[in-house]
Every structure is written in structure tokens, then in C-alpha cells.
């Protein structure tokens, strides 16, 4: 099994902020299951996320209620290829106050280090992941849904991932030897 790190992407609030605050954001309309959604996307995000993955050796994956629709409606509009999708819509309940996506993420990561960009995570999510036996190192990047993903968020992720790639560290981030 690979220890290649993951970068997990939410859509609403992260790639699709709740308000237009930048000229880089463009309106798009998507029709999903007969319902029209108006979204805001920054086409530069795809290039920046791809660069983050390339420079850190990470794999991008969707962690969004858009699930496979993200590969059809979001990825192509921002220049991302087809990405793996974490199925998160099957169990909307919470067990310990965590977001309903958190349990699905914990199962998916399979001890791989990961960064998760989301606008809906809090202390119960961190605690759930910390206590889950299938989760090792992770960084939760709290994105303000009013502004969405920023260069500061990407820099935070890049620094954290680069720190994990240093020679002499094992998969848990402790010095080996």
C-alpha cells in the first residue's frame, strides 16, 4: 500500500464560495438531477491544486457531497482531471458530533497522511480522526465559505506536506531510526 499523501477537496464553501469577492470567480450553471445550481468557480484553482499535488507528491481526491458530479461539473471548469471520489452521501448521521463526511474520509485514507480543505469541520472532526485507528497524520484546513480557497490555504498545505516528505521521517511523522 502506498503512503502517498492525499489532498481532499470539498466543493461548496471551498471551490464554490458563497459570495463573489474576486474578479477571478466566474458564475456557472449546473443541472444535477433536474435541479439547476448556480456556482462560483475560479479557473486558477485547478492549476494551483495540480501544482500542489505535483510538488508534494500528493494525490487529489474529492471529499464532497457532489461526489461523481464534481468530476463532471467542477473539475473540467477549473482544469482538473478525473479524480478519485470519496462516497460521502450514504450515511448522514453523526456519532460524536463530527460532520457526516468525516467517517467516510477516515475509512478512505487508510493510514495515508492527508490534508482536507473543507468549510464545515470543527473540534469533533479533529477528535474523531485523531481517535480513528485507520488515520495517521492529517491537517484540517478550515476554509471560510465566504471567500473559499485562498493562496494562504494552499501555502499551509504545501508546508505541511513538505514537512512530511523530509528524509528520515517515517509514516507517523516521527524521526526514524
Amino acid at each position: 500500500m502506498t503512503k502517498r499523501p492525499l489532498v481532499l477537496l470539498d466543493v461548496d464553501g471551498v471551490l464554490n464560495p458563497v459570495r463573489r469577492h474576486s474578479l477571478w470567480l466566474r458564475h456557472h450553471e449546473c443541472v444535477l438531477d433536474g435541479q439547476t445550481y448556480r456556482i462560483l468557480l475560479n479557473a486558477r484553482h485547478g492549476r494551483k491544486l495540480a501544482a500542489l499535488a505535483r510538488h508534494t507528491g500528493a494525490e487529489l481526491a474529492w471529499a464532497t457531497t457532489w461526489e461523481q458530479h464534481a468530476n463532471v461539473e467542477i473539475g473540467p471548469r477549473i482544469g482538473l482531471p478525473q479524480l478519485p471520489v470519496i462516497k460521502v452521501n450514504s450515511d448522514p448521521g453523526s456519532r460524536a458530533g463530527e460532520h457526516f463526511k468525516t467517517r467516510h474520509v477516515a475509512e478512505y485514507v487508510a493510514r495515508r497522511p492527508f490534508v482536507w480543505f473543507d468549510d464545515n469541520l470543527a473540534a469533533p472532526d479533529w477528535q474523531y480522526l485523531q481517535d480513528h485507528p485507520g488515520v495517521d497524520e492529517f491537517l484540517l484546513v478550515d476554509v471560510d465559505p465566504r471567500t473559499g480557497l485562498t493562496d494562504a490555504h494552499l501555502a499551509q498545505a504545501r508546508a505541511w506536506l513538505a514537512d512530511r516528505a523530509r528524509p528520515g521521517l517515517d509514516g507517523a511523522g516521527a524521526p526514524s531510526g
Side-chain angles (χ1 to χ4, degrees):
M1 182 164 46
T2 179
K3 290 295 257 186
R4 186 174 174 202
L6 292 161
V7 174
L8 308 180
L9 305 170
D10 184 27
V11 172
D12 294 323
V14 176
L15 297 177
N16 173 30
V18 297
R19 66 181 174 88
R20 186 172 187 205
H21 61 85
S22 163
L23 295 176
W24 290 105
L25 289 165
R26 298 283 184 248
H27 287 281
H28 301 273
E29 285 191 359
C30 306
V31 178
L32 306 176
D33 301 324
Q35 185 169 350
T36 301
Y37 295 90
R38 190 165 178 169
I39 59 174
L40 287 167
L41 296 174
N42 180 340
R44 298 182 323 157
H45 279 154
R47 185 176 67 248
K48 290 178 180 190
L49 288 163
L52 172 67
R54 186 172 52 256
H55 294 143
T56 62
E59 176 185 355
L60 300 171
W62 296 115
T64 174
T65 57
W66 284 72
E67 289 187 342
Q68 222 26 269
H69 295 295
N71 277 323
V72 175
E73 301 291 346
I74 306 302
R77 289 185 164 118
I78 63 173
L80 287 177
Q82 295 279 310
L83 302 177
V85 174
I86 301 172
K87 297 212 178 278
V88 298
N89 288 327
S90 62
D91 181 12
S94 168
R95 295 188 183 131
E98 77 282 358
H99 192 278
F100 70 89
K101 291 190 289 186
T102 303
R103 286 187 317 283
H104 301 285
V105 165
E107 293 302 319
Y108 183 85
V109 297
R111 298 204 176 279
R112 293 167 66 181
F114 68 95
V115 172
W116 186 4
F117 294 114
D118 203 293
D119 66 315
N120 231 350
L121 302 175
D125 301 289
W126 184 89
Q127 191 63 56
Y128 183 91
L129 292 167
Q130 188 71 27
D131 294 343
H132 194 279
V135 175
D136 284 339
E137 291 186 296
F138 61 90
L139 173 67
L140 303 181
V141 180
D142 184 32
V143 177
D144 184 334
R146 294 170 297 177
T147 57
L149 187 67
T150 66
D151 288 345
H153 297 127
L154 293 166
Q156 180 185 9
R158 184 183 307 270
W160 189 85
L161 289 164
D163 199 37
R164 257 92 238 123
R166 286 188 319 211
L169 293 182
D170 64 17
S176 62

